[in-house]
Amino acid sequence: FDFIPEKETVRLLNPLSSELNVMRQSLLFSVMENVERNVNNRNTNLRFFEFGKVYRLNPETIKGDDVVKRYQERQDFVMIVTGKDADDTWNRKAQDLDLFYLKNMVENVLEKVNFPMDQLQKNTEEESRMFVDHVSYVCGEENIVTIGNLHPAVMKYFGMKSPVYYAEFNFPAIVSKIANRSVKFQPIGFCFALS
């Protein structure tokens, strides 16, 4: 896939197999393998998240440079949804999950970690070959989260027919924005009524 830069790939010197000879640059493929496995086992209404490390090589450095300059290890957090919001019941027909459902989940996560939501701005100008439709949210110059409908090429690779919606968080940027925010709280008051 051309959205995974070949020149930033970290290759292993002693790989276990030819399929496992590089470090992952994105959590997309591991979470999509789980989606594919579940869909193949007829579990089609899915909401997944994954939190893990990704690795990149800085192509502008040379071999003698410091390891910290040459390689980047970063924590990433992704969410993915596909299928319907629930099973059909006698009084309610299930609704298809969509981009707005995932957007609501993303906003809830950001609010729960006390992210300054008033500083978020939409960026729809950025092009992406990973998505068909997508939106990025930025805070200042940093991309915070990108949400979108996965590209048909990705869907075809994993044999998926129904739409898959994916969100990729810039976890280090989120942590840096919430690190200095103060949290205000007050004790919960209890009121007892005597009868």
Side-chain angles (χ1 to χ4, degrees), residues 6-184:
E6 180 70 29
K7 62 185 178 187
E8 295 181 14
T9 300
V10 177
R11 300 198 179 282
L12 297 174
L13 296 176
N14 191 12
L16 294 173
S17 70
S18 60
E19 290 87 27
L20 301 172
N21 64 348
V22 296
M23 303 291 279
R24 65 183 176 185
Q25 289 186 34
S26 173
L27 298 178
L28 171 68
F29 299 102
S30 56
V31 76
M32 278 301 291
E33 285 173 357
N34 288 322
V35 170
E36 178 187 33
R37 187 177 307 111
N38 275 273
V39 168
N40 289 342
N41 288 313
R42 296 196 173 115
N43 298 320
T44 56
N45 303 331
L46 305 171
R47 293 171 214 59
F48 287 150
F49 74 92
E50 186 170 348
F51 183 74
K53 293 186 178 184
V54 294
Y55 306 89
R56 291 189 183 232
L57 172 70
N58 184 352
E60 289 150 16
T61 59
I62 54 175
K63 282 195 175 185
D65 281 346
D66 186 22
V67 171
V68 178
K69 287 183 185 176
R70 287 196 76 206
Y71 300 98
Q72 177 191 23
E73 175 185 74
R74 188 180 82 198
Q75 287 280 1
D76 265 6
F77 176 61
V78 298
M79 297 169 71
I80 199 163
V81 298
T82 186
K84 298 193 178 288
D85 64 348
D87 293 328
D88 286 333
T89 62
W90 66 273
N91 65 346
R92 182 183 179 276
K93 186 162 172 54
Q95 302 293 314
D96 288 333
L97 295 176
D98 59 9
L99 200 57
F100 298 105
Y101 182 90
L102 182 59
K103 179 181 176 278
N104 187 40
M105 287 176 64
V106 165
E107 288 175 356
N108 286 335
V109 167
L110 292 174
E111 285 173 359
K112 292 286 185 200
V113 298
N114 200 25
F115 189 86
M117 298 296 285
D118 57 329
Q119 296 178 18
L120 275 183
Q121 296 176 342
K122 266 189 209 177
N123 180 7
T124 54
E125 298 169 6
E126 177 185 301
E127 286 191 32
S128 175
R129 294 187 175 132
M130 185 190 296
F131 302 108
V132 176
D133 297 318
H134 76 286
V135 62
S136 293
Y137 288 95
V138 296
C139 186
E141 296 294 314
E142 286 190 287
N143 185 25
I144 300 300
V145 61
T146 302
I147 309 166
N149 185 359
L150 287 177
H151 195 277
V154 177
M155 304 292 288
K156 184 177 177 185
Y157 181 80
F158 287 99
M160 297 293 298
K161 293 183 175 74
S162 61
V164 176
Y165 303 96
Y166 178 78
E168 192 169 63
F169 294 80
N170 182 348
F171 189 72
I174 292 170
V175 170
S176 71
K177 296 288 182 198
I178 64 174
N180 296 326
R181 287 182 57 92
S182 61
V183 177
K184 295 179 184 176

